[in-house]
Amino acid sequence: DVSAATGALIVTDVLAMKQAAIDDKMYGPFVVYIPTAYETILDEDYSTAKGSNTIRERILQITGVESIQTVDTMTANTVVMVQMTADVVREVICLPLQAVEWESDGGMMSNFKVVTIMVPQIRADQEGHCGIVVLS
């Protein structure tokens, strides 16, 4: 619950998530996904005494954590850490990016849409380790 979390507690949680990934032989690089309720919290000062770092900056100083992304559809009080390598998650392109054109108004107007179908594929190794850590 972010309402009671301090900067130190948040960083401790991220470090615990990283350690859980390392225990499953997943070594990064990592992206941390957060719900929108956490977005502004991470921009607060890391320390209660006026410091030079925000909580976000402190998390990004952790080796292997490359980015923090906000997901507006993520459940409250849930944080996900994902190892961003092709053996964990990759993009599957089902329909390459392309423009579609059609005419309307008796051929007097041309309409265009750009379409694509791309989905993430989550993968696991032989032991079932998938490189995704969920904190909720």
Side-chain angles (χ1 to χ4, degrees):
D1 183 11
V2 74
S3 63
T6 64
L9 289 174
I10 293 170
V11 170
T12 299
D13 285 343
V14 173
L15 289 170
M17 293 173 75
K18 179 182 174 185
Q19 187 59 53
I22 290 170
D23 291 346
D24 277 348
K25 299 177 179 53
M26 300 292 171
Y27 304 105
F30 301 106
V31 173
V32 177
Y33 293 96
I34 61 170
T36 54
Y38 289 23
E39 175 62 28
T40 55
I41 300 296
L42 293 186
D43 291 326
E44 293 179 0
D45 287 335
Y46 172 70
S47 173
T48 54
K50 179 66 176 158
S52 59
N53 283 349
T54 64
I55 299 169
R56 179 185 314 275
E57 290 169 335
R58 177 61 187 96
I59 291 170
L60 291 173
Q61 289 174 346
I62 298 170
T63 302
V65 177
E66 290 191 341
S67 177
I68 300 170
Q69 300 294 322
T70 303
V71 180
D72 62 349
T73 56
M74 187 175 286
T75 307
N77 299 323
T78 300
V79 177
V80 178
M81 178 182 277
V82 179
Q83 177 175 295
M84 298 305 284
T85 56
D87 62 328
V88 173
V89 62
R90 68 178 176 176
E91 179 182 47
V92 177
I93 300 174
C94 304
L95 178 66
L97 184 67
Q98 58 186 304
V100 177
E101 178 183 10
W102 72 97
E103 293 180 352
S104 61
D105 295 329
M108 298 299 290
M109 182 180 286
S110 291
N111 301 287
F112 296 91
K113 291 264 184 182
V114 177
V115 297
T116 187
I117 300 174
M118 294 183 239
V119 295
Q121 180 189 34
I122 309 300
R123 307 169 79 192
D125 64 13
Q126 290 174 291
E127 298 171 3
H129 302 150
C130 67
I132 298 173
V133 180
V134 178
L135 176 69
S136 62

